[in-house]
Amino acid sequence: MPNIFEVFGFPVADRTQQAETVRQSRTCPFMGEICDGGGNRYQTKIKLTAQEPLSDYFHPDITEVIPGICSIQAGDDIWVVCPRRLFSAKCDAAGIPTVNRALQPYESDLLIHAGVPQGVDIGVWSEVALKHRVDDAEINYQFDYILAPLVAKPFSQLPQILPGEFTPDDLGDLSKSARKNGYYQLQHKSADAVITLPDLDQMFILEVMTASTSGSDAEKSTDIRSAFRNYLLGVEHTSPGINKRQVWGRMVSQLFAKTALANEWKARTIWVIQDSLLQNIERTTRLNTKAVSSHPERNISLVVMAYRQNAIKTKEIAYQTTINGDAGINFEGDNTFTDILLPKVTPPKIELLQAIMRRKLAAILNL
């Protein structure tokens, strides 16, 4: 039966005071902030009412908690079920992005092997939503993370940075977003005011793919709330199982489109994936990444992460390998049915920049 492997960043076997202190504060050690369950687990939130057995476990001022389950062990395999376990980037509670805050060594390895520039300040934006419509063709994507070197330019120079792509309304909207989200270095309206921008010529889109859970049953206490509650209370638990196909099926639907968009923008999309999930994809499809040749003009790029045993005989996440392989399709289309995988239109860079600037900086990294 599957069981929880990590809760709030610590293996379930670890009931030391350090681990319990972190758990009792519902902190994610990988974000350095309150655990959000990976951003998609809000429906499992537990209200810490007088009737809730976990109310006595957490600090008295905490009124609710999202089950902080990072990974699940099923047989010999450990499956990451929270994307924050592979990569996360988040400001402190005050929303201030200090350099390399909560950056884990394996995250640094991941980014370096993905080709992210070193020795410069890299801005990180999370959950960037981009919508663009031309006639019936629509782009409507949310990117997990966008990374790009930070540059400082006078606002008046923006037309030279992206020539031919601006209208006065575009500039007005961009200025409004920049002022609202703190990108002006001095808060005044002069055309020469310096603004902090992403260098879109060195941009990376980072997509983090993890397994999801399945087979939960509240009556049998195998749902995620019950497993979480039972573990913290010291009761034997059984966790939900792993839903493998749903995750990579969703991944495939975006794998080609987001990679093609990045290619049009002269950027790169990096797919961060755990080895267990990639192995399952290869077992159940005809994909064999070892046999895929490289094609720099149309590569799919994967960064593979895996659990390994460390010096103190516990499991930890580490970078395993990078795979750059031929997507097998022409990103500009080649009049075959594979063209159904490609977006009809590519939003201009001004719209991409506007989408980024509508978000506050999630983090600043310097590798």
Side-chain angles (χ1 to χ4, degrees):
M1 299 294 288
N3 290 280
I4 300 169
F5 183 74
E6 293 165 315
V7 175
F8 293 116
F10 290 86
V12 291
D14 190 345
R15 303 300 300 235
T16 61
Q17 187 58 53
Q18 178 192 8
E20 293 299 276
T21 298
V22 170
R23 289 170 180 148
Q24 288 163 358
S25 64
R26 59 175 180 167
T27 299
C28 168
F30 312 116
M31 290 194 300
E33 282 299 315
I34 293 172
C35 170
D36 64 359
N40 57 5
R41 209 178 284 170
Y42 293 107
Q43 70 275 14
T44 67
K45 186 181 296 182
I46 298 172
K47 299 288 186 180
L48 300 178
T49 63
Q51 293 74 36
E52 170 55 54
L54 282 178
S55 295
D56 293 333
Y57 178 84
F58 291 96
H59 293 309
D61 57 337
I62 295 176
T63 59
E64 60 185 25
V65 62
I66 294 175
I69 297 176
C70 313
S71 54
I72 287 173
Q73 183 157 10
D76 294 330
D77 293 326
I78 303 167
W79 295 85
V80 174
V81 294
C82 175
R84 311 293 189 232
R85 186 64 182 93
L86 296 182
F87 182 83
S88 64
K90 192 172 178 66
C91 298
D92 63 18
I96 300 173
T98 53
V99 177
N100 290 349
R101 180 181 179 275
L103 180 67
Q104 308 297 316
Y106 64 83
E107 292 175 319
S108 181
D109 287 345
L110 180 166
L111 296 173
I112 290 170
H113 283 93
V116 175
Q118 301 179 57
V120 297
D121 284 350
I122 303 292
V124 183
W125 294 263
S126 64
E127 299 175 357
V128 175
L130 178 61
K131 294 183 179 181
H132 177 79
R133 187 180 184 92
V134 176
D135 298 326
D136 289 334
E138 182 178 23
I139 294 293
N140 186 358
Y141 288 124
Q142 179 167 289
F143 302 104
D144 289 350
Y145 297 97
I146 289 180
L147 289 76
L150 294 172
V151 294
K153 298 285 186 181
F155 191 82
S156 59
Q157 290 186 11
L158 289 187
Q160 286 75 50
I161 296 172
L162 295 174
E165 296 195 37
F166 282 89
T167 68
D169 286 344
D170 290 332
L171 287 172
D173 291 343
L174 194 59
S175 178
K176 186 183 300 182
S177 294
R179 186 165 288 107
K180 176 182 177 182
N181 293 314
Y183 293 106
Y184 275 102
Q185 295 188 1
L186 294 174
Q187 294 295 313
H188 57 79
K189 298 183 179 181
S190 166
D192 293 325
V194 176
I195 185 173
T196 299
L197 295 165
D199 180 356
L200 297 185
D201 291 332
Q202 299 185 69
M203 185 184 75
F204 291 77
I205 296 169
L206 205 68
E207 297 289 322
V208 184
M209 301 306 301
T210 61
S212 62
T213 56
S214 67
S216 61
D217 189 330
E219 292 185 3
K220 295 181 178 179
S221 296
T222 62
D223 62 302
I224 203 161
R225 284 194 191 95
S226 299
F228 175 74
R229 180 186 294 115
N230 289 341
Y231 166 72
L232 291 182
L233 296 177
V235 179
E236 185 176 350
H237 76 275
T238 299
S239 76
I242 299 299
N243 190 334
K244 306 155 192 172
R245 184 172 179 84
Q246 180 189 51
V247 175
W248 70 254
R250 186 174 70 248
M251 172 184 172
V252 167
S253 69
Q254 300 185 43
L255 187 67
F256 297 96
K258 286 184 176 179
T259 302
L261 284 176
N263 186 69
E264 287 290 319
W265 291 322
K266 309 304 180 187
R268 286 182 64 196
T269 299
I270 305 296
W271 298 84
V272 182
I273 188 169
Q274 189 192 353
D275 61 335
S276 297
L277 183 55
L278 180 58
Q279 289 164 11
N280 178 262
I281 294 172
E282 294 196 271
R283 282 196 300 267
T284 55
T285 71
R286 294 191 66 173
L287 176 66
N288 178 4
T289 54
K290 292 181 180 179
V292 176
S293 60
S294 178
H295 192 307
E297 295 181 359
R298 61 186 195 193
N299 273 347
I300 299 289
S301 297
L302 307 180
V303 174
V304 185
M305 309 297 287
Y307 280 98
R308 70 178 182 192
Q309 188 165 287
N310 59 23
I312 59 174
K313 307 297 184 182
T314 59
K315 299 280 189 179
E316 64 180 9
I317 283 287
Y319 163 81
Q320 183 181 78
T321 191
T322 302
I323 300 171
N324 293 299
D326 190 346
I329 63 175
N330 181 352
F331 289 144
E332 296 180 356
D334 57 10
N335 296 320
T336 69
F337 272 100
T338 58
D339 289 352
I340 200 172
L341 300 170
L342 300 173
K344 181 74 172 180
V345 295
T346 300
K349 276 191 173 180
I350 175 59
E351 293 191 25
L352 173 63
L353 181 59
Q354 288 172 328
I356 293 172
M357 302 297 276
R358 283 194 289 268
R359 302 288 296 171
K360 290 181 181 293
L361 261 174
I364 299 175
L365 306 177
N366 195 307
L367 305 173

